[in-house]
Amino acid sequence: MKWLFTSTSLLAVALLSSAQTPVKLSIQLNETAHAVSPTLYGLMTEEINYSYDGGLYAEMVRNRAFQDHGFGGVAHWHIVHDGNAMASMQPDLADGPSAALQNSLVIDVQKADANNQAGARNEGYWGMALRANTTYKGSVYAKAGSSDLGPLNIALVSDNSGKAVASVTIRPITTEWRRYEFTLTTGNIETSSENHLRLTVEHAGKLWLDMVSLFPPTYKNRANGNRPDLMEMMAGMHPKFLRLPGGNYLEGDQIDERFDWKTTIGPLVDRPTHRSPWNYQSSDGLGLLEFLEWSEDLNMQTVLAVYAGYSLKGDHIHPGPALTPFVEDALEEIEFATGDTSTKWGAVRAKLGHPAPFDIHYIEIGNEDQFDRSGSYEGRFAQFYKAIKAKYPQFELIATEPLKRMKPDVLDDHYYKRADEFFADVHHYDKWDRNGPKIFVGEWATREGSPTTNLAAALGDAAWMTGMERNSDLIVMASYAPLFVNVNPGGMQWESDLIGYNALSSYGSPSYYAQSMFAEYLGTEVPKSSASDESPRFFYSVTRDPSKGKVYLKLVNASSVDQPVDINLSGVNVSPKADLISLSGMNPAETNTIRTPARIEPVKSMVENAGARFSHVIPPYSIQVMVLDYR
Ligand code: AHR
């Protein structure tokens, strides 16, 4: 966050003429309307836009298990034949290192020697980011056609110079499948993502490879872990929960392409990988346990969505006996995540390295089941509800569409809109029935800007968040979607995303900063307040935290001219000095990109004239949080 050592209010008053009538904002700080949901802001995640593979999941080798191959050959792998070496490669669909991975890459080396090596190279996820004096941990399953194939040379090579920047040799490869571990350490190199990994031999013969893996240092040094920069960006959003594993990713296009959690746990070689609905193969390296650990690493509770018998292309399982195995599977999944070590699946979790149960309070049944035209959701939900409540009465159960015959604990509402649509809909929940289910806004976003959203979107988001805070007695949780996008060509399946990255770096969209500001200054109570003379693109929300003696006033001016506000705070003494955090730009199309990541960022300044009554001017296209001290 930048600091601006002037009073934005005074500066704005002095420099800009006000075209809008002042809004009269009256806040009764001694009267509480309701408590703020402490879990209001969280994260929603799924494998889309190369969110995990090629994103958060730090694996550097793309198509490491050779599942992705076709007319174009084995995707992201290329033959290596230095000098006079002769070799060819192809997928072997009948030989692999495990029951889950029954295919591999076979390289047939007809001719090679120490100076003319042959093998294969991997291009990574749009390159491989390498930094100076860094150790990369790798492993590979390999098998030789005969015992005289010799050692396997592994190197990280600069795309531009063709020179190895780190290399290692592993002992002669045996004729049985074996896992070999290695490390590659760089020297004093320049940071770059224009690198690849190569694996070569010095003798003729056949070499099979599978599960070729390479990791940089990860967040909290977890093996099979996550990218530190993306974890830190999420931490900057102060999220209270993580909704996982989707989204469409939970459902899959077909029933057998759903997120089948049991195939995503345990050693990587035992995970078969699966086709995701976003049209690429998921490595499942980030599986259920890794999701739960991700929540834990950022002190978030998990909102666990269980597959509920409907997949995106329309197939569904009818309620009744056919659905029972899916209900049983969900119960086992919940036991895996929350059961103690005396339970069957709690013991499996402990064996995989995490004896303590995870922090879960909400279970979501399905995703966007309004698209199931068979009308089976009510029956499917009821069957899951009955079984889960019987075994786990402590959990709140979330439905994904309104039900006619029963009241779920929580209803998941999704909103993808333009900024103007959100401006027009900020009072959506003001008059909502408080006797119905609580609301989880499980997916929402202002869709303007690509691949990440622009300032117009941040303004739409901020306006919508003022409405969610005002209704945070009803709205228990909200999570923006999608969270991530790999900005390389072909990386994006869904426009308008929150955080962008390539192999080397990452950045936040203006929407990212708007959310971070709202979540950081959430508050615990909503005091009574009212506004008059509001212009159509002015929005506000006010919360406070009595334990800290702070009032958080969020102000949004989505118009092209100043918005003056006359603020009247009654019931307490307010200090004249207040912090002001502002996110603004010159026009709604302004944005951040991978090359200009910090064009729109929050700026901190001071308000010097706060008090029981004071005037403030919000500059055009601005989102502001004023942090007032009171006694
Ligand atoms: O967030 C992108 C997609 O939008 C989600 O997968 C789905 O739930 C929704 O339709």
Side-chain angles (χ1 to χ4, degrees):
M1 174 140 25
K2 294 174 202 155
W3 266 93
L4 189 70
F5 291 100
T6 52
S7 159
T8 303
S9 309
L10 296 177
L11 189 70
V13 169
L15 295 180
L16 297 164
S17 64
S18 306
Q20 300 279 17
T21 311
V23 173
K24 313 275 178 307
L25 188 56
S26 172
I27 303 164
Q28 290 87 52
L29 282 174
N30 51 353
E31 287 188 61
T32 303
H34 57 79
V36 173
S37 167
T39 52
L40 187 59
Y41 296 118
L43 305 175
M44 184 267 171
T45 170
E46 66 175 320
E47 181 61 288
I48 182 174
N49 300 326
Y50 293 86
S51 288
Y52 310 149
D53 294 341
L56 178 66
Y57 181 54
E59 173 64 83
M60 296 165 71
V61 179
R62 188 166 181 181
N63 194 18
R64 66 185 179 185
F66 307 104
Q67 310 281 30
D68 189 0
H69 52 79
F71 289 128
V74 182
H76 314 294
W77 286 90
H78 308 272
I79 195 76
V80 172
H81 29 45
D82 295 343
N84 292 329
M86 302 278 288
S88 62
M89 66 178 201
Q90 58 184 15
D92 184 336
L93 302 183
D95 198 354
S98 66
L101 298 181
Q102 296 190 11
N103 65 299
S104 57
L105 179 75
V106 57
I107 305 163
D108 189 357
V109 180
Q110 291 100 48
K111 190 175 157 198
D113 58 45
N115 296 319
N116 300 279
Q117 299 188 22
R121 70 179 157 87
N122 184 264
E123 64 193 34
Y125 290 96
W126 295 274
M128 290 190 177
L130 297 183
R131 294 178 170 81
N133 305 312
T134 304
T135 296
Y136 297 81
K137 290 185 186 163
S139 59
V140 55
Y141 283 80
K143 187 177 102 162
S146 67
S147 54
D148 52 7
L149 188 68
L152 179 64
N153 298 321
I154 304 179
L156 281 164
V157 177
S158 159
D159 293 347
N160 297 323
S161 68
K163 294 210 171 91
V165 295
S167 60
V168 68
T169 296
I170 56 180
R171 58 198 143 153
I173 304 300
T174 64
T175 53
E176 297 297 319
W177 279 109
R178 272 196 51 191
R179 180 172 185 266
Y180 301 86
E181 287 187 0
F182 59 91
T183 58
L184 290 162
T185 303
T186 56
N188 203 13
I189 58 165
E190 294 224 340
T191 300
S192 163
S193 61
E194 291 171 356
N195 304 288
H196 60 266
L197 179 75
R198 65 176 240 163
L199 301 97
T200 54
V201 293
E202 303 175 3
H203 298 280
K206 279 191 174 176
L207 171 69
W208 283 261
L209 298 174
D210 213 335
M211 193 47 80
V212 187
S213 175
L214 188 67
F215 276 82
T218 58
Y219 191 74
K220 295 199 172 176
N221 289 322
R222 279 195 189 278
N224 196 42
N226 295 334
R227 260 174 73 160
D229 60 334
L230 295 175
M231 289 296 277
E232 276 150 22
M233 286 205 70
M234 286 186 279
M237 292 175 69
H238 311 277
K240 295 293 185 291
F241 67 88
L242 178 64
R243 172 182 176 232
L244 60 90
N248 291 359
Y249 187 59
L250 170 73
E251 304 164 86
D253 275 346
Q254 313 293 345
I255 293 170
D256 63 5
E257 291 174 349
R258 70 191 182 280
F259 182 80
D260 189 0
W261 70 274
K262 284 179 189 153
T263 66
T264 73
I265 59 171
L268 297 179
V269 74
D270 295 330
R271 302 184 194 186
T273 80
H274 80 284
R275 185 97 193 137
S276 88
W278 298 105
N279 292 325
Y280 55 93
Q281 193 77 12
S282 173
S283 76
D284 289 329
L286 225 159
L288 181 58
L289 184 59
E290 289 81 11
F291 285 139
L292 295 163
E293 288 174 338
W294 162 14
S295 309
E296 188 176 72
D297 279 352
L298 296 185
N299 298 318
M300 304 180 280
Q301 44 171 284
T302 299
V303 175
L304 181 65
V306 296
Y307 179 76
Y310 166 72
S311 290
L312 291 160
K313 292 275 159 80
D315 267 5
H316 79 278
I317 315 283
H318 215 63
L323 193 63
T324 302
F326 293 88
V327 175
E328 290 298 321
D329 196 61
L331 291 173
E332 290 176 332
E333 184 174 7
I334 297 167
E335 186 174 285
F336 178 80
T338 66
D340 66 39
T341 53
S342 66
T343 63
K344 177 182 166 196
W345 287 99
V348 172
R349 186 194 63 239
K351 206 166 157 211
L352 294 175
H354 202 290
F358 289 96
D359 184 22
I360 295 186
H361 302 267
Y362 294 93
I363 307 286
E364 178 153 15
I365 298 168
N367 176 61
E368 294 190 340
D369 287 87
Q370 70 273 20
F371 292 116
D372 174 8
R373 298 292 169 219
S374 74
S376 69
Y377 185 60
E378 185 118 16
R380 290 189 286 111
F381 180 86
Q383 197 169 336
F384 276 87
Y385 184 96
K386 203 169 154 216
I388 297 173
K389 283 280 185 188
K391 193 161 178 199
Y392 300 104
Q394 71 271 32
F395 294 134
E396 307 260 311
L397 302 186
I398 305 171
T400 73
E401 69 155 342
L403 304 172
K404 290 186 192 76
R405 293 186 295 278
M406 64 188 291
K407 177 180 149 187
D409 301 316
V410 182
L411 178 66
D412 181 359
D413 275 348
H414 294 179
Y415 301 93
Y416 292 106
K417 290 176 185 266
R418 290 299 186 127
D420 268 356
E421 293 174 295
F422 269 134
F423 297 156
D425 200 28
V426 290
H427 297 288
H428 190 98
Y429 289 108
D430 288 3
K431 302 234 155 32
W432 205 261
D433 177 11
R434 261 51 184 178
N435 298 313
K438 295 281 184 198
I439 299 293
F440 173 29
V441 184
E443 291 180 32
W444 70 274
T446 308
R447 302 199 64 197
E448 301 207 25
S450 173
T452 47
T453 52
N454 58 22
L455 182 60
L459 291 161
D461 295 340
W464 179 247
M465 284 188 282
T466 63
M468 291 203 288
E469 290 192 356
R470 190 170 49 251
N471 289 287
S472 60
D473 57 326
L474 172 72
I475 302 174
V476 285
M477 298 181 289
S479 43
Y480 186 100
L483 181 63
F484 288 137
V485 63
N486 188 313
V487 300
N488 279 294
M492 180 183 75
Q493 288 82 52
W494 180 281
E495 289 188 355
S496 70
D497 303 293
L498 201 65
I499 296 172
Y501 47 81
N502 57 21
L504 212 48
S505 62
S506 47
Y507 70 97
S509 60
S511 297
Y512 166 83
Y513 289 113
Q515 284 218 36
S516 306
M517 285 162 61
F518 271 63
E520 181 170 0
Y521 302 103
L522 177 60
T524 57
E525 293 174 355
V526 174
K528 288 198 173 155
S529 69
S530 59
S532 58
D533 294 334
E534 285 176 279
S535 46
R537 283 183 287 283
F538 164 81
F539 310 94
Y540 83 98
S541 136
V542 59
T543 61
R544 68 167 173 214
D545 184 339
S547 72
K548 295 182 178 150
K550 302 273 186 201
V551 175
Y552 306 117
L553 178 56
K554 282 131 184 170
L555 299 165
V556 182
N557 177 14
S559 82
S560 58
V561 292
D562 292 2
Q563 175 61 67
V565 196
D566 295 337
I567 301 166
N568 179 358
L569 295 156
S570 60
V572 296
N573 290 322
V574 176
S575 157
K577 288 196 179 187
D579 283 343
L580 186 71
I581 299 96
S582 303
L583 188 75
S584 339
M586 301 303 286
N587 75 84
E590 216 176 336
T591 198
N592 296 331
T593 67
I594 195 86
R595 289 209 172 79
T596 53
R599 235 186 126 96
I600 309 259
E601 265 192 339
V603 173
K604 213 166 185 182
S605 64
M606 294 290 292
V607 171
E608 310 274 358
N609 66 331
R613 281 175 182 273
F614 67 106
S615 295
H616 174 73
V617 175
I618 320 167
Y621 305 125
S622 293
I623 300 160
Q624 297 190 317
V625 182
M626 197 182 287
V627 183
L628 298 140
D629 288 295
Y630 74 93
R631 274 181 292 114

